[in-house]
Each structure stands twice: as C-alpha cells, then as structure tokens.
C-alpha cells in the first residue's frame, strides 16, 4: 500500500497534505473531469477538484464521519458536505442542536464555525456514483487513521453516517490505537457502542435517498447528535 500523510504532526499539516494526494488514478481522473466539465448551474464557478480535508477544530471532542465528497458539493466547494442537499440537512441539524454557528454551509469562507465537532470522511475524493472501490477505500484509510490519531487526545465520540462509513471507521480505529471488539459492532440507525472508551454512534447517511424518502428525518438526525453531544460533553 502507498504510504502518505502518516507523518503529519498536526491536523493543519494533515489537512494541507491530503489536498495533494493523487494515489487513486480513477478518482483523480474523475474529480478533475467533474471540475472541468461542471454542472450547468455552477458553470461560472471554479471547482475545487482535489481531495477534501476534514472540517472543524483540531481539538474536536466529536467527529462526524460520512462517505466521500459529492461531485458537485464538496468537490466544488472544497469543504465537507458543503454546497449540496446532504450538507443542507446535516448543517441545519448541527445548528439546531448548538454545534454550528449557522444553519447553512454554502462555501469555504462563509463564516461557518463548528463547536467541538470535526466532519471528515474515509474517502477524500469524489467517486463516480458515490461508490469508491474497496481498493480506493483501503488506500485512503491512512488519512483517516492519522486524523483519528491526532484527534485522540480530545475525541470522546464519533457519529458515523451510513454503513460504508461505519465499516471504514472501524477499520481505521484499530490502527489508530483503539481496541475494536470482535465480532465488530453492527451498524444501525441509533445504535451506540463503547469502543475502548470512545462512543460510536450509528446514523443513517444524510443522502437525498434517505432524507427525501423520510427514512431519515431531521428529528432522527438531531436525536443522534444530541446524544453524541452529551457524551462528548459539548
Ligand atoms: S481517495 Fe484518498 S487516497 Fe485516493 S487520491 Fe483521494 S485522497 Fe488520495
């Protein structure tokens, strides 16, 4: 496996380093093609078109882990869950429970601040059809492992959005230093597990597929976030 990023000694350094990663040829080609061709509604905008770093303070007590940047969301704006419908739902919920300074996240530099929360993902480049391959997931893991190691001194809880992120997070926690039980805890909405002193919460992903169909309602997200906030002592 290619090794990179693992030597970053701070979250800031890690965030910088990840933006230069080109380890997955298929994803590099896709993220850059999307950035070139754009969606008509954003034709006059400059797309980010690079790996997306985590967003939120370096001493976060709560992490939120999704799947990967959206082609015309974070791959456009350069900030996790920013500029798409999934992000609209997530940031509104974070604001409602007192974890964000404003209910919307439209672009980097819009003044949004997260309170004790860091949002990140196991895959940092937008994948075609939102589906990274197992090899891409495994290649990108080292970024999440290092991020979790750097957050470890303050991290008390993680909310994982969706089953893909759940498996990827469990795979990253062990090399980051936590004892992950066997068999592995199973994903479900509203589940919570203690992983070696860290509380892991499951939440359905805030994808349109879930929020438009009512499988995941704003109240359901907020219930999980409130619980995680309390465990993280935020
Ligand atoms: S998905 Fe991760 S490992 Fe692959 S190119 Fe992007 S940042 Fe690098």
């Amino acid at each position: 496996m290619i090794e990179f990023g693992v030597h970053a000694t701070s979250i800031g350094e890690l965030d910088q380093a990840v933006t230069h990663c080109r380890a997955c040829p298929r994803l590099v080609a896709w993220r850059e093609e999307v950035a070139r061709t754009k969606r008509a509604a954003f034709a006059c905008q400059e797309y980010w078109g690079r790996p997306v770093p985590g967003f939120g303070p370096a001493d976060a007590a709560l992490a939120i882990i999704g799947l990967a940047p959206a082609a015309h969301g974070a791959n456009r704006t350069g900030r996790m869950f920013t500029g798409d419908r999934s992000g609209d739902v997530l940031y509104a919920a974070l604001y409602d429970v007192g974890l964000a300074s404003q209910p919307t996240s439209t672009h980097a530099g819009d003044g949004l601040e997260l309170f004790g929360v860091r949002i990140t993902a196991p895959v940092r480049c937008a994948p075609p059809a939102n589906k990274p391959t197992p090899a891409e997931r495994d290649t990108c893991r080292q970024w999440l492992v290092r991020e979790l190691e750097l957050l470890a001194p303050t991290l008390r809880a993680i909310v994982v959005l969706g089953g893909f992120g759940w498996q990827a997070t469990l795979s990253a926690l062990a090399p980051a230093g936590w004892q992950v039980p066997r068999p592995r805890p199973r994903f479900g909405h509203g589940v919570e597990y203690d992983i070696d002193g860290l509380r892991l919460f499951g939440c359905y992903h805030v994808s349109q597929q879930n929020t438009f169909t009512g499988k995941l309602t704003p109240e359901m997200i907020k219930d999980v976030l409130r619980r995680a906030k309390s465990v993280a002592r935020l």
Side-chain angles (χ1 to χ4, degrees), residues 1 7 14 24 33 37 63 82 85 115 119 124 134 137 141 151 165 191-192 197-198 211 228:
M1 184 185 290
H7 304 302
L14 189 82
C24 305
E33 186 194 329
T37 53
T82 295
R85 293 294 183 89
F115 305 133
I119 302 180
R124 310 301 177 105
R137 174 201 63 202
R141 180 179 304 130
L151 289 172
V191 299
E192 66 180 82
L198 179 74
T211 56

Side-chain angles (χ1 to χ4, degrees), residues 111-145:
L112 174 64
E113 196 185 338
L114 297 180
F115 305 133
V117 180
R118 186 165 170 88
I119 302 180
T120 190
V123 174
R124 310 301 177 105
C125 294
N130 291 320
K131 283 195 175 62
T133 65
E136 289 160 352
R137 174 201 63 202
D138 293 348
T139 302
C140 208
R141 180 179 304 130
Q142 292 177 72
W143 292 112
L144 183 59
V145 170

